[in-house]
Amino acid sequence: MESTVFVVACPKGFVTGGPECLHQLVNAINSLGSVAVLWDPEESRSDAIPAKEYESYGCTWDSEGPKPGDVVVFPEVMTELIPKYYSKNLCVIWWLSVDNFISTSQLPIEVIRECYPDLIHCYQSEYARNFIEMHELGNQLALSDYTNLDFITFASTLKRHECDQSSKKIVAINPAKGFERTEIVIKKFPSKKFLRLENMSRPEVMDALASSTYYLDLGTHPGKDRFPREAALLNCIVLTNTRGASDNDIDIPIDVERFKIDDSLDGFELELLSIVEAMDFNICTNLEMQSTYRNKITNEKKVFDEEVTKFIESIEVEISLVDVGIRNSLLDTHNFMMKVIQERDSALLQVAEMNKSMSWKVTQPIRFCLDLFKNLYKH
């Protein structure tokens, strides 16, 4: 594929899980002999400085954007750009965070399904794969990511935790996610030291996790998050809830009965307290029970390279099947559907406003008509 260029949309200068995945993809494509560049479609960030943390991936930034015939990879938070490039480029959605799409996308999922049937949908997690399948989106490909190799190297230098029952066990937490639930736990654990993973460099995070016994994550797990994997790799016992990607045994393959808590239940913190108190006397045993998870993390880079190879091969096939005429007609359908959806949402908003000031008897006929409109739209 010497003539094909992969343009990967990525916010420049951001240091979070998503941008690192996008850097990893560009690095892997280039390493396999194809050509890939990063591109930030937001003009206001054109002068932003690329994140130093990702310099090791050796990525090149392109300021001009996709040219006709390029393959364009959009993270799910940038799907609103697809209509602009769809007729001249093969477009890919990489589902890194399902929850971010739900909360921020300007392109409804039904429009993606009906107007762009030949998009390639890559999923970073089992959670994302289930979402794609539930919404009947075609052309699915696995495209995960891997834990930064600095953690792999650092982990190889560590010794296993000593099973010292008298030592004070440290619980590492990420206060940026699910802290309203984590705070409940903190108040119930006066004997525990909680270490916040915030405002830290990568070496500082590694040292913090290496000094911790547990890693507690009560966030929403919108994808296969990095912190749980980094913590597991550095010999923390990982404890999570059952939200998002944590609610399956593929993204976080740890015993649900032993290491995962349903934090939607009243009093969940008491159950967690009981579990951790028991684990304090069996640190090494519980670490060993998560060895499968650690081994899987160690092997991520190899799996990712294999997935990228299949991704490139699939792109070759898809390029040969592109029909520009059909794509232009689908764009017309897109415009119609977006108009209908906007009218629907406007009607819903008007009804919501009327409900605040009108009785049920007055709004009931309006609700009936609105439901009728919604059913007509579906069919």
Side-chain angles (χ1 to χ4, degrees), residues 287-318:
L287 272 174
E288 185 59 32
M289 293 180 70
Q290 295 191 355
S291 61
T292 299
Y293 187 26
R294 289 194 298 276
N295 292 337
K296 182 177 182 179
I297 297 165
T298 303
N299 200 43
E300 286 176 334
K301 177 67 164 62
K302 178 183 177 183
V303 172
F304 183 69
D305 287 342
E306 292 171 352
E307 290 171 344
V308 174
T309 298
K310 292 179 181 178
F311 169 71
I312 294 173
E313 292 171 350
S314 297
I315 291 294
E316 274 189 303
V317 174
E318 291 298 324

Side-chain angles (χ1 to χ4, degrees), residues 245-263:
S246 187
D247 193 27
N248 68 71
D249 59 2
I250 295 177
D251 292 330
I252 302 184
I254 56 178
D255 188 341
V256 65
E257 299 295 333
R258 194 175 188 89
F259 302 114
K260 296 184 181 183
I261 299 292
D262 184 352
D263 61 4

Side-chain angles (χ1 to χ4, degrees), residues 176-338:
K177 296 187 177 182
F179 188 68
E180 67 278 7
R181 294 179 291 276
T182 306
E183 191 173 29
I184 296 173
V185 176
I186 292 173
K187 292 178 180 178
K188 288 288 184 179
F189 279 69
S191 62
K192 292 291 180 187
K193 178 181 178 181
F194 287 85
L195 181 57
R196 296 175 177 235
L197 303 175
E198 59 183 349
N199 302 320
M200 293 182 179
S201 64
R202 184 181 297 157
E204 289 172 336
V205 169
M206 290 191 289
D207 287 338
L209 289 173
S211 68
S212 300
T213 304
Y214 303 97
Y215 172 72
L216 175 64
D217 195 324
L218 301 182
T220 57
H221 301 276
K224 193 169 57 175
D225 283 351
R226 291 186 177 276
F227 260 141
R229 289 180 282 164
E230 293 167 355
L233 201 59
L234 300 185
N235 289 335
C236 291
I237 298 172
V238 175
L239 304 169
T240 73
N241 53 18
T242 54
R243 298 173 187 263
S246 187
D247 193 27
N248 68 71
D249 59 2
I250 295 177
D251 292 330
I252 302 184
I254 56 178
D255 188 341
V256 65
E257 299 295 333
R258 194 175 188 89
F259 302 114
K260 296 184 181 183
I261 299 292
D262 184 352
D263 61 4
S264 66
L265 300 176
D266 291 338
F268 77 90
E269 70 278 9
L270 299 177
E271 180 185 357
L272 183 60
L273 173 63
S274 175
I275 290 173
V276 172
E277 285 180 339
M279 286 183 184
D280 279 346
F281 295 94
N282 295 283
I283 298 299
C284 291
T285 299
N286 285 283
L287 272 174
E288 185 59 32
M289 293 180 70
Q290 295 191 355
S291 61
T292 299
Y293 187 26
R294 289 194 298 276
N295 292 337
K296 182 177 182 179
I297 297 165
T298 303
N299 200 43
E300 286 176 334
K301 177 67 164 62
K302 178 183 177 183
V303 172
F304 183 69
D305 287 342
E306 292 171 352
E307 290 171 344
V308 174
T309 298
K310 292 179 181 178
F311 169 71
I312 294 173
E313 292 171 350
S314 297
I315 291 294
E316 274 189 303
V317 174
E318 291 298 324
I319 287 176
S320 67
L321 299 176
V322 170
D323 187 318
V324 175
I326 292 177
R327 286 179 163 231
N328 286 331
S329 67
L330 288 170
L331 284 171
D332 291 337
T333 305
H334 161 93
N335 294 332
F336 172 75
M337 286 192 69
M338 288 299 293

Side-chain angles (χ1 to χ4, degrees), residues 122-190:
C122 296
Y123 52 89
Q124 182 257 7
S125 63
E126 175 67 8
Y127 179 50
R129 189 195 69 78
N130 289 333
F131 178 82
I132 293 171
E133 192 168 276
M134 178 178 67
H135 290 284
E136 300 178 339
L137 305 178
N139 298 333
Q140 302 175 22
L141 285 174
L143 193 61
S144 53
D145 66 352
Y146 56 92
T147 302
N148 189 285
L149 298 182
D150 288 350
F151 284 87
I152 305 288
T153 302
F154 186 71
S156 67
T157 68
L158 297 180
K159 295 181 179 180
R160 295 288 295 273
H161 282 284
E162 295 294 333
C163 298
D164 182 0
Q165 299 175 8
S166 64
S167 63
K168 191 172 185 178
K169 309 300 190 298
I170 297 175
V171 182
I173 60 171
N174 175 14
K177 296 187 177 182
F179 188 68
E180 67 278 7
R181 294 179 291 276
T182 306
E183 191 173 29
I184 296 173
V185 176
I186 292 173
K187 292 178 180 178
K188 288 288 184 179
F189 279 69

Side-chain angles (χ1 to χ4, degrees), residues 331-350:
L331 284 171
D332 291 337
T333 305
H334 161 93
N335 294 332
F336 172 75
M337 286 192 69
M338 288 299 293
K339 182 179 179 181
V340 171
I341 289 171
Q342 288 168 3
E343 291 174 351
R344 178 197 66 185
D345 292 345
S346 177
L348 286 169
L349 182 61
Q350 290 179 35

Side-chain angles (χ1 to χ4, degrees), residues 78-111:
M78 295 185 182
T79 52
E80 72 276 4
L81 297 172
I82 289 174
K84 181 177 180 180
Y85 296 97
Y86 180 70
S87 64
K88 297 181 180 179
N89 302 91
L90 182 63
C91 296
V92 178
I93 300 178
W94 193 6
W95 296 89
L96 301 171
S97 171
V98 170
D99 296 9
N100 283 350
F101 170 82
I102 293 172
S103 62
T104 65
S105 177
Q106 300 174 36
L107 192 63
I109 193 71
E110 58 265 44
V111 173

